[in-house]
Amino acid sequence: MFRRLALACAALLSVVSAQLTITSPGTNDWWVASSANTLSWTCSTSPYLNFTVLLSNSNIAVLAAPIAIIAIQENYDCSKTITQQQSAQAAGTGYTLLFANTLNSTDIWAQSQPFEIKALGSSYPTTTSSAGSASTGTASGTAGAAQSTHTGGTLAEYIPVGMSMVAALALGLVVA
Ligand SMILES: *[C@@H]1O[C@H](CO)[C@@H](O)[C@H](O)[C@H]1NC(C)=O
Ligand SMILES: *[C@@H]1O[C@H](CO)[C@@H](O)[C@H](O)[C@H]1NC(C)=O
């Protein structure tokens, strides 16, 4: 029973991970204006072959509308160094990167965490390398798996040893 539950959880996790996610810039990351910056994404789980990369800001006074910084980005590159020209933006917070359909830039496939663009000359975040981003991705995946394992453990705690899941459900021991 629990094995089946665990398998169901694993299947759910793999469905969730079969998608395009922008891993860098992530939470606590920033870019430095008019400098080389790193962009990376989950290319191995991306259902898309290519996309347009846009830069957006939640404050329309900073950017009135998203601007395309890469017209066509091939998915297989997995990461990209953003050039000085592409990152020549006003320093500020509230920036997000959008990956969109190359044929329709309002069809958004992925959105990054909000991040800051710091003034030219600022230091880079310590985990700016793509290796660092990759390990961040792995860490969050592991955390997700650990979380589902924990849920299983919690269920087991409520169900007396030897009682079947069906019996436990009938007794209302499991909150469905
Ligand atoms: C982008 O991907 C689509 C399929 O999603 C493909 O038809 C198209 O040729 C690709 N464009 C480029 C420039 O690689
Ligand atoms: C572009 O994508 C948006 C969002 O998915 C959709 O509402 C719109 O109809 C699309 N436009 C065209 C011309 O396909």
Side-chain angles (χ1 to χ4, degrees), residues 48-50 72 74 102 109:
Y48 310 108
L49 294 178
N50 53 58
I72 299 176
E74 298 291 352
T102 56
W109 292 336

Side-chain angles (χ1 to χ4, degrees), residues 34-86:
S34 301
S35 306
N37 291 279
T38 305
L39 166 63
S40 39
W41 59 91
T42 56
C43 53
S44 58
T45 58
S46 170
Y48 310 108
L49 294 178
N50 53 58
F51 33 80
T52 296
V53 179
L54 302 117
L55 184 67
S56 174
N57 195 290
S58 52
N59 182 353
I60 58 164
V62 177
L63 282 179
I67 54 164
I69 58 172
I70 304 174
I72 299 176
Q73 174 59 53
E74 298 291 352
N75 177 63
Y76 59 66
D77 284 343
C78 302
S79 73
K80 186 83 179 178
T81 298
I82 300 301
T83 66
Q84 291 169 274
Q85 290 76 21
Q86 289 162 338

Side-chain angles (χ1 to χ4, degrees), residues 57-168:
N57 195 290
S58 52
N59 182 353
I60 58 164
V62 177
L63 282 179
I67 54 164
I69 58 172
I70 304 174
I72 299 176
Q73 174 59 53
E74 298 291 352
N75 177 63
Y76 59 66
D77 284 343
C78 302
S79 73
K80 186 83 179 178
T81 298
I82 300 301
T83 66
Q84 291 169 274
Q85 290 76 21
Q86 289 162 338
S87 63
Q89 301 299 328
T93 57
Y95 283 99
T96 51
L97 284 159
L98 309 172
F99 287 0
N101 185 340
T102 56
L103 304 175
N104 177 356
S105 65
T106 60
D107 186 9
I108 307 295
W109 292 336
Q111 181 168 12
S112 75
Q113 296 292 322
F115 66 101
E116 182 176 2
I117 295 185
K118 296 198 180 192
L120 175 64
S122 303
S123 60
Y124 285 111
T126 48
T127 57
T128 200
S129 73
S130 53
S133 317
S135 64
T136 305
T138 311
S140 64
T142 310
Q147 213 168 1
S148 80
T149 308
H150 179 84
T151 308
T154 311
L155 273 177
E157 277 164 29
Y158 283 105
I159 301 166
V161 177
M163 184 181 282
S164 75
M165 183 65 107
V166 174

